[in-house]
Amino acid sequence: MIGIVSYGGYVPRLRLPRMTMFQSMAWFAPATIAVAQGERSVCNWDEDALSMGVEAARDCLKGADKAGVDALLLASTTLPYADRQNAGIASTALNLKNEVLTADFTGSLKAGTTAMISAFESLQAGNKNSILVVASDKREAKAGYFYEMWFGDGAASLLLGKEGVIAELKGFHSVSYDFPDHYRDAAKKYDYIWEERWIRDEGYVKILPEAINGLLSKYSLSIGDFSKVVYPCFFSREHAAIAKKIGASPQMVQDNMHEACGEMGTAHPLAMFIHALEDAKPGDKLLLASFGQGSDAFWFEVTENIAKLPARNGIKGHLAKRKEMESYTKFCQFRDRLGADTGIRAEVSAQSPLSVLWRKRKAILGLVGGRCKVCGTPQFPKTDVCVKPECHAVYEQEDYEFSERKAKIISFTGDLLAVSIDPPAIYGMVQFDGGGRTLLDFTDCELEKLEVGQTVEMSFRKRWYDKERGFHGYFWKAVPQEKA
Amino acid sequence: MATGIKDKVAIIGMGCTKFGERWDVGAEELIVEAFQECIEDAGIDRNEIQAAWQGTCIDEVNVGKSALALALTLHLPYIPVTRTENFCATGTEAFRGAVYAVASGAYDICLALGVEKLKDTGYGGLPSIGGGSLAFFTMPNMTAPGGFAMLAQGYAAKHGLSMDEVKKAMAHISAKSHYNGSLSPKAHLQRPVSEDQILNSPMIAYPLGLYDCCGVSDGAAAAIVTTPEIARSLGKKDYVTVKALQIAISSGEELQYDNWDFDHFVTTSKASSLAYKEAGVNNPREEISMMEVHDCFSITELVTYEDLHISERGKAPKDVMEGFYDINGKIPCQPDGGLKCFGHPIGASGIRMLYEMYLQLLGRAGKRQVQNPKLGLTHNLGGFPFMNINSVAIIGRHDV
């Protein structure tokens, strides 16, 4: 049996109410009141498509056989690097084995589902046994534009394989059209988008039904065979119109999450699908279709294994971890659109030593430390000489992963002098459960709620962006957990 | 069997510039200003100096690397000059080099000079000091206030104190140093500040406010050392001798092992014990006359009282509030205003502290003179609480 073995989601905790956006830009774009309902998800300043993708993949790999992953396919239209494979960075962050195939899938909002098809075909061909698919997007839109409200940031991940399948792949079907509803020049930050009415009538309402009907006819199915139909479309009226056109009842249509987080690009069809899986029962038939210069459509059947999946945040859990963003200017600052002054101190620019990054890649990207084979002491970073004073064994450390371990705060501060996009810079020393300690930046937290002894979890984040050289620096940060 | 440094070396001359935002001068002028006072005080010919040590820390905004700045500025006649750098212990390291050179018998007369020109950066606070290429990728973008602010959190948690209690003791420490600074003509900051002003000052790195942080200053300080025999032959009667010189550097346990609570300085605790042993001090609370400790931040000074084994663990706030360390207290601390008010040009600080102890021991400290001091202790702490360089020096009257 081939299908989905596990799933994981990531929606950044910050949610910006569309009314807050409207209130800041109403003087310029009064018409946006028409869509100023609900809220959109917003990356913290230290998140991007790659970091969110890694978080979704970690969620997906909870309780899964990480060592068995044969390939990692990363889909996005907003990856940080044009040349330095982003999937390779993700693979190192996840500390996957070296003998793994990695690839970036990009250039279309359906890149996530296309990566799924490539993975399934590889599994069917018998070349691979376990493939991790990740889709993630952080898209930009100009201030005061409807799309700034409609877009959200987020990621989703599916582990596809043969053992412990929770949703069996029964079939798939694709159509491809160069439908230029929008495009983004390789060197541009923003999409160029044609008239919405045309996009709705000629795009969504025609292409999605064509792909879905194509799937139904290919496998001699009728829409009534399905318990849930999942497809993106953030125009609510057209989302319903598509259902009508394919003959699906309103109850069968999976919510498009427009009110909760907005449209998360390549991640969106996968995220909606995971949201559906979170409520699915064994035997449910699910239909998934994407939209983006064509469409990929899938037929899945949920198995008994879905009940055995270990606990995870998924999409539901992340939607529940919500923190309202109170300021539109903060949103702009986080996306480097405000140009707030960070002072002369921030001007210091240093090249990032790439040979060090390569040599220490496991520590920097993977938060892999060492554990002394003689005395058992975990330590970060891994070193040649054991830190334990009674041991000091030389050349005796084995790799030891810290990223999935919880830790406790030893001390912390909120630093207003340090250069930060979101002052104060909060950081501190943490002690890992089971041993080992280090200093880390903290993120997704409020200084006034922190306490010595509080539990933190690790998160893969961007630490800096060197504009001059176009280098994105990633490392791990501590995320303080709300007290139970 | 090593016998330690006690009474093997005498200080025969010292000099110190006015500290502060010295927009008028650069490092070279500061070197000359400190050196001229020092050589006149020593009463020797400059050509009698056989070797010299230059302490500078942040070369990027200062005089560059190497000891050339000192040699070229003073046109020293092709003698050995060595640059020392060990964060905030830089000045004491320069002094240690000169002292050990004399004690070894290799030279008769040596110079130690620390200098730092910090106010050419264009911004407040210290420039960040790199921690190596791995730290570049992994260490938080930490400032000095942030690094030491964490000490206050750890100290409060360890001793079950509220942050308000800790902040009050910290405010008394800063107020005391501001008062002392007002008696100190060469100090950077010379205005008394009340504890209320300190408690209500703008936050820099929680819980440290503006007045919990020392000044960022330009300055230089110098010392000329020789053997006690030569000191006497030069007609020096009340000369000062070195009683102890200890350095302890973090082993990595604080940062990487599991046995430290971010509440004290392991290094200071160890170095001070060794210094007392070297100086023959059995009960520092009774025997040390006065101190200049490394109050880069008020919390550093508070915790250091305990690591110097003068206040009991957890009891420093009580001693502070009772005035134990005030200018008229049992052990006056920072009589010249300390880093807080005299200022902190990094490479000069260790020698500046010795300069104040030297003036006090010779009865030359003017309005802030401590009564009949016998032993003065100086302390530097460079780096961060979790990895640092600590120095403890004790100097005293030669007859003690």
Side-chain angles (χ1 to χ4, degrees), chain A residues 344-345 353 364 380-381 388-389 411-416 418-419 427 429 431 436-437 439-441 463-464 475, chain B residues 122 124-126 136-143 146 149-150 153 203-206 253-258 260 386:
Chain A
I344 294 176
R345 182 176 280 275
I364 296 166
F380 185 86
K388 188 178 179 180
S411 191
F412 65 94
T413 187
D415 189 339
L416 284 157
V419 176
Y427 50 82
M429 183 178 258
Q431 173 82 31
R437 57 171 52 187
L439 282 139
L440 291 171
D441 285 309
R463 284 196 57 233
W464 77 96
F475 186 55
Chain B
L126 291 178
F136 172 85
F137 285 102
T138 64
M139 268 287 180
N141 178 20
M142 199 177 308
T143 64
M150 289 188 275
Q153 296 281 4
M203 195 57 71
I204 301 295
Y206 182 82
E253 285 168 51
E254 302 102 304
L255 184 61
Q256 276 188 287
Y257 192 47
D258 304 342
W260 176 71
F386 50 85

Short mmCIF file of all heavy atoms in Angstrom, two decimals, chain A residues 344-345 353 364 380-381 388-389 411-416 418-419 427 429 431 436-437 439-441 463-464 475, chain B residues 122 124-126 136-143 146 149-150 153 203-206 253-258 260 386:
data_model
loop_
_atom_site.label_atom_id
_atom_site.label_comp_id
_atom_site.label_asym_id
_atom_site.label_seq_id
_atom_site.Cartn_x
_atom_site.Cartn_y
_atom_site.Cartn_z
N ILE A 344 23.79 53.07 14.05
CA ILE A 344 25.12 52.80 13.49
C ILE A 344 25.61 51.43 13.93
O ILE A 344 26.31 50.74 13.20
CB ILE A 344 26.11 53.91 13.91
CG1 ILE A 344 25.69 55.23 13.25
CG2 ILE A 344 27.53 53.55 13.50
CD1 ILE A 344 26.54 56.41 13.64
N ARG A 345 25.21 51.03 15.16
CA ARG A 345 25.63 49.72 15.67
C ARG A 345 25.26 48.60 14.68
O ARG A 345 25.96 47.60 14.58
CB ARG A 345 24.95 49.49 17.02
CG ARG A 345 25.30 48.21 17.71
CD ARG A 345 24.64 48.17 19.07
NE ARG A 345 25.35 48.94 20.07
CZ ARG A 345 26.39 48.46 20.77
NH1 ARG A 345 26.80 47.25 20.59
NH2 ARG A 345 26.99 49.22 21.64
N PRO A 353 31.42 32.97 7.32
CA PRO A 353 32.45 32.02 6.85
C PRO A 353 31.84 30.69 6.41
O PRO A 353 31.43 29.88 7.23
CB PRO A 353 33.36 31.87 8.07
CG PRO A 353 32.52 32.27 9.24
CD PRO A 353 31.50 33.23 8.76
N ILE A 364 25.37 23.82 13.49
CA ILE A 364 24.73 25.09 13.16
C ILE A 364 23.31 24.86 12.62
O ILE A 364 22.36 25.49 13.06
CB ILE A 364 25.57 25.88 12.14
CG1 ILE A 364 26.92 26.27 12.76
CG2 ILE A 364 24.82 27.11 11.66
CD1 ILE A 364 27.95 26.74 11.75
N PHE A 380 26.93 20.76 24.13
CA PHE A 380 26.84 21.51 22.88
C PHE A 380 27.81 22.68 22.94
O PHE A 380 27.82 23.41 23.91
CB PHE A 380 25.41 22.04 22.65
CG PHE A 380 25.28 22.70 21.30
CD1 PHE A 380 25.00 21.96 20.17
CD2 PHE A 380 25.50 24.07 21.17
CE1 PHE A 380 24.91 22.57 18.92
CE2 PHE A 380 25.42 24.68 19.92
CZ PHE A 380 25.12 23.92 18.80
N PRO A 381 28.62 22.90 21.90
CA PRO A 381 28.74 22.02 20.73
C PRO A 381 29.54 20.76 21.07
O PRO A 381 30.13 20.67 22.15
CB PRO A 381 29.51 22.90 19.73
CG PRO A 381 30.31 23.82 20.58
CD PRO A 381 29.48 24.08 21.80
N LYS A 388 33.05 17.53 31.16
CA LYS A 388 32.88 17.12 32.55
C LYS A 388 34.23 17.08 33.24
O LYS A 388 35.14 16.38 32.80
CB LYS A 388 32.21 15.75 32.63
CG LYS A 388 31.84 15.36 34.05
CD LYS A 388 31.13 14.03 34.11
CE LYS A 388 30.80 13.70 35.56
NZ LYS A 388 30.11 12.43 35.69
N PRO A 389 34.39 17.83 34.35
CA PRO A 389 35.72 17.97 34.96
C PRO A 389 36.33 16.64 35.41
O PRO A 389 37.54 16.47 35.39
CB PRO A 389 35.49 18.92 36.14
CG PRO A 389 34.03 19.07 36.29
CD PRO A 389 33.38 18.69 35.01
N SER A 411 18.61 31.34 32.81
CA SER A 411 18.51 32.78 32.97
C SER A 411 18.18 33.41 31.62
O SER A 411 18.27 32.76 30.58
CB SER A 411 19.78 33.38 33.55
OG SER A 411 19.54 34.73 33.91
N PHE A 412 17.78 34.67 31.66
CA PHE A 412 17.36 35.34 30.42
C PHE A 412 17.43 36.85 30.60
O PHE A 412 17.54 37.35 31.72
CB PHE A 412 15.93 34.94 30.05
CG PHE A 412 14.91 35.42 31.06
CD1 PHE A 412 14.24 36.63 30.88
CD2 PHE A 412 14.64 34.69 32.20
CE1 PHE A 412 13.34 37.09 31.82
CE2 PHE A 412 13.74 35.13 33.15
CZ PHE A 412 13.08 36.34 32.96
N THR A 413 17.35 37.57 29.49
CA THR A 413 17.20 39.03 29.55
C THR A 413 16.48 39.51 28.32
O THR A 413 16.33 38.78 27.33
CB THR A 413 18.56 39.73 29.68
OG1 THR A 413 18.35 41.15 29.90
CG2 THR A 413 19.39 39.58 28.41
N GLY A 414 16.02 40.74 28.39
CA GLY A 414 15.47 41.44 27.23
C GLY A 414 16.36 42.63 26.98
O GLY A 414 16.38 43.58 27.77
N ASP A 415 17.12 42.60 25.89
CA ASP A 415 18.21 43.53 25.66
C ASP A 415 17.77 44.61 24.67
O ASP A 415 17.49 44.32 23.51
CB ASP A 415 19.40 42.71 25.11
CG ASP A 415 20.68 43.51 25.02
OD1 ASP A 415 20.60 44.75 24.97
OD2 ASP A 415 21.76 42.89 24.97
N LEU A 416 17.73 45.86 25.14
CA LEU A 416 17.31 46.96 24.27
C LEU A 416 18.48 47.61 23.55
O LEU A 416 18.29 48.42 22.66
CB LEU A 416 16.56 48.01 25.09
CG LEU A 416 15.12 47.61 25.45
CD1 LEU A 416 14.64 48.36 26.68
CD2 LEU A 416 14.18 47.85 24.28
N ALA A 418 21.03 45.69 22.13
CA ALA A 418 21.38 44.81 21.01
C ALA A 418 20.55 45.17 19.78
O ALA A 418 19.38 45.52 19.89
CB ALA A 418 21.15 43.36 21.39
N VAL A 419 21.16 45.08 18.62
CA VAL A 419 20.45 45.35 17.37
C VAL A 419 19.39 44.26 17.18
O VAL A 419 19.68 43.08 17.27
CB VAL A 419 21.43 45.33 16.18
CG1 VAL A 419 20.67 45.52 14.88
CG2 VAL A 419 22.48 46.41 16.36
N TYR A 427 17.08 36.73 24.99
CA TYR A 427 17.92 35.54 24.89
C TYR A 427 18.26 35.06 26.28
O TYR A 427 18.00 35.75 27.27
CB TYR A 427 19.19 35.82 24.08
CG TYR A 427 19.97 37.04 24.48
CD1 TYR A 427 20.85 36.99 25.56
CD2 TYR A 427 19.82 38.25 23.80
CE1 TYR A 427 21.57 38.12 25.93
CE2 TYR A 427 20.53 39.38 24.16
CZ TYR A 427 21.41 39.31 25.23
OH TYR A 427 22.12 40.42 25.61
N MET A 429 20.15 31.49 28.76
CA MET A 429 20.80 30.19 28.82
C MET A 429 19.74 29.15 29.17
O MET A 429 18.90 29.39 30.02
CB MET A 429 21.91 30.20 29.87
CG MET A 429 22.68 28.89 29.93
SD MET A 429 24.01 28.98 31.16
CE MET A 429 25.42 29.21 30.10
N GLN A 431 18.93 24.86 29.89
CA GLN A 431 19.46 23.56 30.29
C GLN A 431 18.55 22.49 29.71
O GLN A 431 17.35 22.46 29.99
CB GLN A 431 19.47 23.47 31.82
CG GLN A 431 19.84 22.13 32.39
CD GLN A 431 21.35 21.92 32.44
OE1 GLN A 431 22.10 22.88 32.60
NE2 GLN A 431 21.78 20.69 32.28
N GLY A 436 23.17 18.93 29.13
CA GLY A 436 23.61 19.82 28.07
C GLY A 436 22.95 21.18 28.23
O GLY A 436 21.81 21.28 28.71
N ARG A 437 23.69 22.22 27.89
CA ARG A 437 23.15 23.58 28.02
C ARG A 437 23.78 24.45 26.95
O ARG A 437 24.84 24.16 26.40
CB ARG A 437 23.47 24.15 29.39
CG ARG A 437 24.95 24.15 29.71
CD ARG A 437 25.29 24.91 30.98
NE ARG A 437 24.50 24.49 32.12
CZ ARG A 437 24.53 25.11 33.31
NH1 ARG A 437 25.30 26.17 33.48
NH2 ARG A 437 23.81 24.69 34.31
N LEU A 439 23.52 28.86 25.21
CA LEU A 439 22.86 30.15 25.11
C LEU A 439 22.13 30.21 23.79
O LEU A 439 22.66 29.80 22.76
CB LEU A 439 23.89 31.28 25.16
CG LEU A 439 24.40 31.57 26.56
CD1 LEU A 439 25.87 31.83 26.53
CD2 LEU A 439 23.66 32.75 27.15
N LEU A 440 20.92 30.71 23.85
CA LEU A 440 20.11 30.78 22.63
C LEU A 440 19.31 32.08 22.60
O LEU A 440 18.94 32.61 23.65
CB LEU A 440 19.11 29.61 22.58
CG LEU A 440 19.66 28.20 22.37
CD1 LEU A 440 18.54 27.19 22.57
CD2 LEU A 440 20.27 28.05 20.99
N ASP A 441 19.03 32.53 21.39
CA ASP A 441 18.00 33.55 21.24
C ASP A 441 16.67 32.91 21.59
O ASP A 441 16.46 31.73 21.32
CB ASP A 441 17.95 34.04 19.79
CG ASP A 441 19.11 34.95 19.43
OD1 ASP A 441 19.33 35.91 20.18
OD2 ASP A 441 19.78 34.71 18.41
N ARG A 463 18.42 33.80 11.75
CA ARG A 463 19.00 34.73 12.72
C ARG A 463 19.36 36.06 12.09
O ARG A 463 19.30 37.09 12.73
CB ARG A 463 20.22 34.10 13.41
CG ARG A 463 19.82 33.07 14.47
CD ARG A 463 20.95 32.74 15.39
NE ARG A 463 21.45 33.93 16.03
CZ ARG A 463 22.73 34.31 16.03
NH1 ARG A 463 23.64 33.57 15.43
NH2 ARG A 463 23.10 35.41 16.62
N TRP A 464 19.80 36.02 10.86
CA TRP A 464 20.11 37.30 10.23
C TRP A 464 20.08 37.13 8.72
O TRP A 464 20.16 36.03 8.20
CB TRP A 464 21.49 37.81 10.67
CG TRP A 464 22.67 37.14 10.01
CD1 TRP A 464 23.36 37.58 8.91
CD2 TRP A 464 23.28 35.90 10.38
NE1 TRP A 464 24.35 36.70 8.60
CE2 TRP A 464 24.33 35.66 9.47
CE3 TRP A 464 23.04 34.97 11.39
CZ2 TRP A 464 25.14 34.52 9.55
CZ3 TRP A 464 23.85 33.84 11.46
CH2 TRP A 464 24.88 33.63 10.55
N PHE A 475 19.75 29.34 12.50
CA PHE A 475 20.15 28.55 13.66
C PHE A 475 18.88 28.25 14.46
O PHE A 475 17.77 28.57 14.03
CB PHE A 475 21.19 29.32 14.51
CG PHE A 475 21.75 28.51 15.65
CD1 PHE A 475 22.33 27.27 15.43
CD2 PHE A 475 21.69 28.98 16.96
CE1 PHE A 475 22.85 26.53 16.48
CE2 PHE A 475 22.21 28.24 18.02
CZ PHE A 475 22.78 27.01 17.76
N GLY B 122 30.94 56.02 16.92
CA GLY B 122 29.73 56.63 16.38
C GLY B 122 28.47 56.22 17.10
O GLY B 122 27.37 56.61 16.73
N GLY B 124 26.74 54.59 21.18
CA GLY B 124 26.95 54.32 22.60
C GLY B 124 27.22 52.85 22.85
O GLY B 124 26.96 52.00 22.00
N GLY B 125 27.74 52.55 24.02
CA GLY B 125 28.02 51.15 24.35
C GLY B 125 29.29 50.66 23.69
O GLY B 125 29.92 51.37 22.91
N LEU B 126 29.66 49.45 24.02
CA LEU B 126 30.88 48.87 23.46
C LEU B 126 30.59 48.22 22.12
O LEU B 126 29.50 47.73 21.90
CB LEU B 126 31.41 47.78 24.41
CG LEU B 126 31.97 48.21 25.75
CD1 LEU B 126 32.39 46.98 26.53
CD2 LEU B 126 33.15 49.16 25.56
N PHE B 136 29.80 32.96 15.81
CA PHE B 136 29.22 33.86 14.82
C PHE B 136 27.87 33.32 14.35
O PHE B 136 26.91 34.06 14.15
CB PHE B 136 30.19 34.01 13.65
CG PHE B 136 29.64 34.77 12.47
CD1 PHE B 136 29.71 36.15 12.43
CD2 PHE B 136 29.05 34.10 11.40
CE1 PHE B 136 29.20 36.85 11.35
CE2 PHE B 136 28.54 34.79 10.32
CZ PHE B 136 28.62 36.17 10.29
N PHE B 137 27.81 32.01 14.17
CA PHE B 137 26.58 31.40 13.66
C PHE B 137 25.56 31.11 14.76
O PHE B 137 24.37 31.03 14.49
CB PHE B 137 26.90 30.08 12.95
CG PHE B 137 27.51 30.26 11.58
CD1 PHE B 137 28.87 30.10 11.39
CD2 PHE B 137 26.72 30.58 10.49
CE1 PHE B 137 29.43 30.25 10.12
CE2 PHE B 137 27.27 30.73 9.23
CZ PHE B 137 28.64 30.58 9.04
N THR B 138 26.05 30.89 15.99
CA THR B 138 25.14 30.33 16.99
C THR B 138 24.85 31.24 18.19
O THR B 138 23.80 31.11 18.78
CB THR B 138 25.70 29.01 17.55
OG1 THR B 138 26.93 29.27 18.23
CG2 THR B 138 25.96 28.01 16.44
N MET B 139 25.77 32.10 18.57
CA MET B 139 25.59 32.89 19.78
C MET B 139 24.55 33.99 19.56
O MET B 139 24.56 34.63 18.52
CB MET B 139 26.90 33.57 20.18
CG MET B 139 27.73 32.76 21.14
SD MET B 139 27.03 32.73 22.79
CE MET B 139 28.26 31.70 23.58
N PRO B 140 23.70 34.22 20.56
CA PRO B 140 22.81 35.38 20.45
C PRO B 140 23.62 36.66 20.23
O PRO B 140 24.78 36.74 20.62
CB PRO B 140 22.11 35.41 21.81
CG PRO B 140 22.18 34.03 22.31
CD PRO B 140 23.48 33.47 21.80
N ASN B 141 22.99 37.61 19.61
CA ASN B 141 23.61 38.90 19.36
C ASN B 141 23.62 39.67 20.68
O ASN B 141 22.83 40.55 20.92
CB ASN B 141 22.81 39.64 18.29
CG ASN B 141 23.35 41.01 18.01
OD1 ASN B 141 24.51 41.30 18.30
ND2 ASN B 141 22.52 41.87 17.46
N MET B 142 24.54 39.26 21.55
CA MET B 142 24.51 39.69 22.94
C MET B 142 25.33 40.96 23.15
O MET B 142 26.41 41.09 22.60
CB MET B 142 25.12 38.56 23.76
CG MET B 142 24.81 38.58 25.22
SD MET B 142 25.55 37.14 26.00
CE MET B 142 24.95 35.84 24.97
N THR B 143 24.81 41.87 23.95
CA THR B 143 25.63 43.02 24.36
C THR B 143 26.13 42.75 25.77
O THR B 143 25.64 41.84 26.45
CB THR B 143 24.79 44.31 24.38
OG1 THR B 143 23.77 44.18 25.37
CG2 THR B 143 24.15 44.58 23.02
N GLY B 146 23.33 42.96 28.34
CA GLY B 146 22.47 41.77 28.25
C GLY B 146 23.11 40.56 28.91
O GLY B 146 22.46 39.81 29.64
N ALA B 149 22.94 41.15 32.61
CA ALA B 149 21.56 41.20 33.11
C ALA B 149 21.11 39.79 33.51
O ALA B 149 20.39 39.61 34.49
CB ALA B 149 20.64 41.76 32.03
N MET B 150 21.58 38.80 32.75
CA MET B 150 21.20 37.42 33.05
C MET B 150 21.72 36.99 34.43
O MET B 150 21.14 36.13 35.08
CB MET B 150 21.73 36.48 31.97
CG MET B 150 21.01 36.64 30.64
SD MET B 150 21.49 35.38 29.44
CE MET B 150 22.96 36.11 28.75
N GLN B 153 19.13 37.86 37.03
CA GLN B 153 18.03 36.88 37.05
C GLN B 153 18.46 35.63 37.80
O GLN B 153 17.72 35.10 38.63
CB GLN B 153 17.68 36.46 35.61
CG GLN B 153 17.13 37.56 34.75
CD GLN B 153 15.67 37.84 35.02
OE1 GLN B 153 15.08 37.25 35.92
NE2 GLN B 153 15.11 38.76 34.28
N MET B 203 15.38 51.45 30.93
CA MET B 203 15.87 50.08 30.88
C MET B 203 16.86 49.92 29.71
O MET B 203 16.65 50.46 28.63
CB MET B 203 14.67 49.15 30.68
CG MET B 203 14.95 47.69 30.95
SD MET B 203 15.59 47.38 32.62
CE MET B 203 14.14 47.68 33.63
N ILE B 204 17.94 49.21 29.98
CA ILE B 204 18.90 48.89 28.91
C ILE B 204 18.77 47.42 28.53
O ILE B 204 18.53 47.07 27.38
CB ILE B 204 20.36 49.20 29.34
CG1 ILE B 204 20.50 50.68 29.71
CG2 ILE B 204 21.34 48.82 28.22
CD1 ILE B 204 20.30 51.66 28.58
N ALA B 205 18.94 46.55 29.53
CA ALA B 205 18.72 45.11 29.32
C ALA B 205 18.14 44.61 30.64
O ALA B 205 18.83 44.61 31.65
CB ALA B 205 20.00 44.39 28.97
N TYR B 206 16.89 44.21 30.61
CA TYR B 206 16.19 43.87 31.84
C TYR B 206 16.96 42.85 32.65
O TYR B 206 17.35 41.83 32.12
CB TYR B 206 14.79 43.32 31.52
CG TYR B 206 14.02 42.99 32.77
CD1 TYR B 206 13.35 43.98 33.47
CD2 TYR B 206 14.00 41.69 33.27
CE1 TYR B 206 12.67 43.69 34.64
CE2 TYR B 206 13.32 41.39 34.45
CZ TYR B 206 12.67 42.39 35.13
OH TYR B 206 12.01 42.11 36.28
N GLU B 253 32.94 24.92 31.75
CA GLU B 253 31.90 24.22 32.51
C GLU B 253 30.64 25.09 32.67
O GLU B 253 29.53 24.59 32.58
CB GLU B 253 32.43 23.84 33.90
CG GLU B 253 33.39 22.67 33.87
CD GLU B 253 34.12 22.50 35.20
OE1 GLU B 253 33.44 22.46 36.23
OE2 GLU B 253 35.36 22.43 35.17
N GLU B 254 30.86 26.40 32.94
CA GLU B 254 29.69 27.27 33.12
C GLU B 254 28.82 27.24 31.87
O GLU B 254 27.60 27.21 31.94
CB GLU B 254 30.12 28.72 33.39
CG GLU B 254 31.02 28.91 34.60
CD GLU B 254 32.47 29.08 34.19
OE1 GLU B 254 32.99 28.18 33.49
OE2 GLU B 254 33.08 30.09 34.57
N LEU B 255 29.47 27.26 30.72
CA LEU B 255 28.75 27.36 29.45
C LEU B 255 28.20 26.01 28.99
O LEU B 255 27.15 25.93 28.38
CB LEU B 255 29.70 27.90 28.38
CG LEU B 255 29.14 28.16 26.99
CD1 LEU B 255 28.02 29.18 27.03
CD2 LEU B 255 30.23 28.63 26.05
N GLN B 256 28.92 24.94 29.30
CA GLN B 256 28.56 23.67 28.67
C GLN B 256 28.19 22.55 29.64
O GLN B 256 27.56 21.58 29.24
CB GLN B 256 29.75 23.17 27.84
CG GLN B 256 29.82 23.76 26.45
CD GLN B 256 30.90 23.06 25.66
OE1 GLN B 256 32.07 23.26 25.89
NE2 GLN B 256 30.49 22.21 24.74
N TYR B 257 28.63 22.64 30.90
CA TYR B 257 28.33 21.55 31.82
C TYR B 257 27.12 21.94 32.66
O TYR B 257 26.53 22.99 32.47
CB TYR B 257 29.58 21.22 32.66
CG TYR B 257 29.46 19.93 33.43
CD1 TYR B 257 29.01 18.77 32.80
CD2 TYR B 257 29.78 19.87 34.78
CE1 TYR B 257 28.89 17.59 33.51
CE2 TYR B 257 29.67 18.69 35.50
CZ TYR B 257 29.22 17.55 34.86
OH TYR B 257 29.09 16.39 35.56
N ASP B 258 26.73 21.10 33.57
CA ASP B 258 25.41 21.26 34.16
C ASP B 258 25.41 21.71 35.61
O ASP B 258 24.47 21.48 36.34
CB ASP B 258 24.67 19.91 34.08
CG ASP B 258 24.60 19.39 32.65
OD1 ASP B 258 24.81 20.20 31.72
OD2 ASP B 258 24.33 18.20 32.46
N TRP B 260 26.13 24.93 37.13
CA TRP B 260 26.23 26.35 37.47
C TRP B 260 24.89 27.01 37.18
O TRP B 260 24.26 26.70 36.17
CB TRP B 260 27.36 26.98 36.64
CG TRP B 260 27.54 28.45 36.79
CD1 TRP B 260 28.01 29.11 37.88
CD2 TRP B 260 27.26 29.46 35.80
NE1 TRP B 260 28.04 30.46 37.64
CE2 TRP B 260 27.59 30.71 36.38
CE3 TRP B 260 26.75 29.44 34.50
CZ2 TRP B 260 27.45 31.91 35.69
CZ3 TRP B 260 26.61 30.63 33.82
CH2 TRP B 260 26.95 31.85 34.40
N PHE B 386 29.22 33.59 31.90
CA PHE B 386 29.33 32.16 31.58
C PHE B 386 30.66 31.80 30.94
O PHE B 386 30.97 30.62 30.75
CB PHE B 386 28.18 31.74 30.65
CG PHE B 386 28.02 32.66 29.47
CD1 PHE B 386 28.76 32.48 28.33
CD2 PHE B 386 27.12 33.71 29.53
CE1 PHE B 386 28.62 33.33 27.25
CE2 PHE B 386 26.97 34.58 28.44
CZ PHE B 386 27.73 34.38 27.31
#
